[in-house]
Amino acid sequence: MSEAASTRVALAKSTTERKTTRRGTASTTGTTALLPSLAPLLREWLPRQRWFAGKGQPVTGFSLVSATEILPLDPAAAGPGVLHLLVRAHQPGSAARSHGDCYQLLLGVRTALPPRLARARIGQVADGPLAGRILYEGLHDPRVAGLLLERFRNPGSLGILRFDRTSPISPGLAPRLLDTEQSNSSLVYGDAYILKIFRRVFPGTNPDLELPLALSREGCGRVPSPVAWFEATGQEPLTLGVLQPFLRGAQDGWQLALAELGAGRDFVPEARALGRATAEVHTALAAALPTTLLAHDRTRSLVAEMVERLEAAARAVPALVPYVPGLRTAFDAVTALGHTGRGWAAQRVHGDLHLGQTLRGDDGFWSLIDFEGEPARPLHERRSPQPPVRDVAGMLRSFDYAARSHRPWSPQWAARCRTAFCEGYAGASGVDPRGEPELLRAHETDKAVYEVLYEARHRPDWLPVPMAAIHRLATTTE
């Protein structure tokens, strides 16, 4: 029997077994003893994962949000059990951390671990309901990944988990786990679909599901439309994963830009096309979802948040301190315009747009992906309307990053790309983002401050890249 077929058999078996359980419960594991028995292993394993947000602080404890047996372990069979957990990891420090970030874990459980899964091993459980069994990262196991696809093919509820889809899904597609993401995990199924698993989850619909669905209803083809998704139900849903078409053969915009730089080729036509694509997405979002006007009070709040982020970053990165007065002028200029009664249109936007969030097809067609927004920001912030120039500023900064990552540095390359992007945007939307220079400069400054803090914490060797922009932005009024 093939692995895909055995997965379907196991799925059918587990569905039959669950019919004898209490309605709404899909777990036969003793949940009271489960988490304490897993905690010693998770305390060591979780902070080592790239998607763990609380690096630098110890995990002091865990609390269980939910436990669901997607596939119960059969000790007489060679196949795995699959345990879905939502767990809060408690850490000292900020108020947010003290309440505990909620993480989604898909854990495989086996009586013995085959050599091909050795690198996925978390450890052997010492006591509790899974005593003596091996715990491992389930997404590395093709049988576990195949089981998830079967859940999407046969949607419905499993305990607090709810699986939905918009169209039929092909069976038996071989899965492979991608190893390039930082804040989430992704599986590709046979070059047909890509499943993003959100690791750190929040109450409320994730924008990476909400916005592509809205764009699909609006008929915008610039964003792959969700095929299926799953959530944890409750007072507010927690989006756990989204399945979308896999754009086979498409090139990552960041890698493409670096390749063109390295070959000495211009990127102006592509930058202009990206501007058009971004404008089309903004236009569709404004049509699909509510828009608003940032009047005086809203503008003041927007600027206050930018100033607060600047001051916090300066406390964390001393190199930023000398530039604070000059950077403040960018924010003060927006405040001054607000006092004159000037307002700005605000709508739902991408929220974290850069070259790495774009894909170019073989036919030259550009798509935008990953609408989750900046994962470090609260979900309610990421779902709030923003001026469209926020996305424009993110892309302008990305051109600068690409140019500075190449030796020798090519500021003219970045400048041409920035101009072409704005021209393409204006041509598709009728609105040139350079027509609001104060607002654009404020958002680009805010983005550069964010970059300084990120690089100082995670990639100190890259710190000169945003610091060069800080120097420019602190000494210009354009």
Side-chain angles (χ1 to χ4, degrees):
M1 182 182 295
S2 70
E3 193 162 86
S6 64
T7 297
R8 291 194 291 273
V9 170
L11 178 60
K13 179 180 177 182
S14 67
T15 301
T16 301
E17 290 172 347
R18 281 193 307 277
K19 290 180 180 177
T20 64
T21 65
R22 181 168 53 89
R23 180 174 176 80
T25 301
S27 176
T28 56
T29 302
T31 54
T32 301
L34 176 65
L35 190 59
S37 69
L38 302 184
L41 298 177
L42 296 180
R43 189 175 284 112
E44 293 294 323
W45 175 78
L46 193 60
R48 298 199 305 267
Q49 306 314 299
R50 291 181 301 177
W51 38 262
F52 182 71
K55 287 184 169 55
Q57 293 288 341
V59 175
T60 56
F62 297 97
S63 56
L64 185 65
V65 177
S66 72
T68 305
E69 282 183 344
I70 295 181
L71 180 64
L73 175 67
D74 182 355
V82 183
L83 186 63
H84 182 281
L85 297 184
L86 292 174
V87 172
R88 291 196 178 278
H90 301 284
Q91 297 180 269
S94 69
R97 288 276 133 73
S98 66
H99 288 91
D101 288 325
C102 184
Y103 292 95
Q104 176 181 192
L105 308 180
L106 277 155
L107 304 176
V109 183
R110 288 179 180 259
T111 53
L113 200 64
R116 62 185 174 83
L117 294 175
R119 68 190 183 105
R121 178 187 171 99
I122 297 174
Q124 186 169 24
V125 183
D127 51 28
L130 300 177
R133 293 166 183 171
I134 306 298
L135 197 71
Y136 65 99
E137 166 58 273
L139 295 183
H140 286 271
D141 189 341
R143 292 193 65 187
V144 174
L147 184 61
L148 283 176
L149 188 66
E150 288 299 311
R151 286 287 167 208
F152 290 125
R153 294 189 64 248
N154 299 277
S157 294
L158 177 64
I160 71 162
L161 305 182
R162 186 180 67 239
F163 293 79
D164 291 295
R165 63 175 172 84
T166 60
S167 58
I169 298 171
S170 303
L173 299 172
R176 69 178 188 276
L177 181 65
L178 301 184
D179 60 0
T180 56
E181 290 194 85
Q182 297 292 327
S183 59
N184 299 296
S185 299
S186 286
L187 288 161
V188 173
Y189 290 95
D191 288 341
Y193 308 109
I194 182 167
L195 171 63
K196 178 188 284 189
I197 299 288
F198 300 110
R199 291 303 199 158
R200 187 180 175 211
V201 297
F202 305 86
T205 303
N206 194 297
D208 210 13
L209 172 61
E210 179 190 16
L211 298 188
L213 280 175
L215 289 166
S216 177
R217 291 192 296 267
E218 198 60 32
C220 178
R222 292 289 185 178
V223 178
S225 179
V227 175
W229 59 91
F230 74 119
E231 301 172 304
T233 57
Q235 288 186 335
E236 287 189 274
L238 283 78
T239 309
L240 302 177
V242 181
L243 186 76
Q244 292 175 288
F246 181 69
L247 303 181
R248 182 170 50 189
Q251 292 181 280
D252 172 280
W254 172 257
Q255 296 298 330
L256 182 60
L258 294 186
E260 298 298 279
L261 259 171
R265 292 190 292 265
D266 211 346
F267 199 67
V268 165
E270 303 298 348
R272 187 173 289 111
L274 270 173
R276 288 195 297 269
T278 303
E280 289 177 19
V281 169
H282 282 172
T283 300
L285 284 173
L289 297 168
T291 61
T292 188
L293 181 71
L294 294 183
H296 175 58
D297 289 345
R298 296 283 301 276
T299 300
R300 184 169 56 190
S301 298
L302 176 72
V303 171
E305 292 169 1
M306 290 178 171
V307 170
E308 183 179 346
R309 287 192 286 270
L310 171 61
E311 293 174 346
R315 289 192 295 270
V317 186
L320 198 57
V321 172
Y323 297 99
V324 169
L327 298 174
R328 281 289 301 264
T329 65
F331 306 142
D332 294 341
V334 175
T335 301
L337 285 174
H339 283 307
T340 69
R342 176 74 177 273
W344 289 276
Q347 62 169 82
R348 297 298 297 277
V349 298
H350 184 284
D352 189 25
L353 189 62
H354 53 79
L355 285 164
Q357 309 283 42
T358 66
L359 293 172
R360 182 188 181 276
D362 291 337
D363 57 357
F365 187 82
W366 282 96
S367 300
L368 274 57
I369 60 172
D370 294 340
F371 280 72
E372 187 180 1
E374 293 177 4
R377 295 197 180 194
L379 187 60
H380 70 87
E381 269 188 38
R382 290 184 267 151
R383 297 185 69 194
S384 64
Q386 301 284 337
V389 295
R390 178 176 175 180
D391 281 350
V392 174
M395 188 59 75
L396 299 187
R397 292 292 312 121
S398 194
F399 290 131
D400 190 39
Y401 254 75
R404 287 214 168 241
S405 66
H406 181 263
R407 298 292 183 271
W409 175 43
S410 178
Q412 296 83 9
W413 185 93
R416 289 194 299 271
C417 288
R418 291 161 65 94
T419 297
F421 180 86
C422 291
E423 290 173 347
Y425 189 99
S429 69
V431 177
D432 192 328
R434 295 168 296 183
E436 299 176 325
E438 297 87 1
L439 194 63
L440 181 57
R441 180 188 169 215
H443 276 88
E444 193 174 354
T445 299
D446 187 47
K447 184 68 174 179
V449 169
Y450 167 84
E451 293 164 354
V452 165
L453 188 60
Y454 180 88
E455 304 299 7
R457 287 176 173 172
H458 302 286
R459 302 188 302 184
D461 291 347
W462 283 70
L463 188 57
V465 177
M467 285 303 299
I470 290 293
H471 176 76
R472 172 176 60 84
L473 292 162
T475 55
T476 184
T477 57
E478 296 181 1

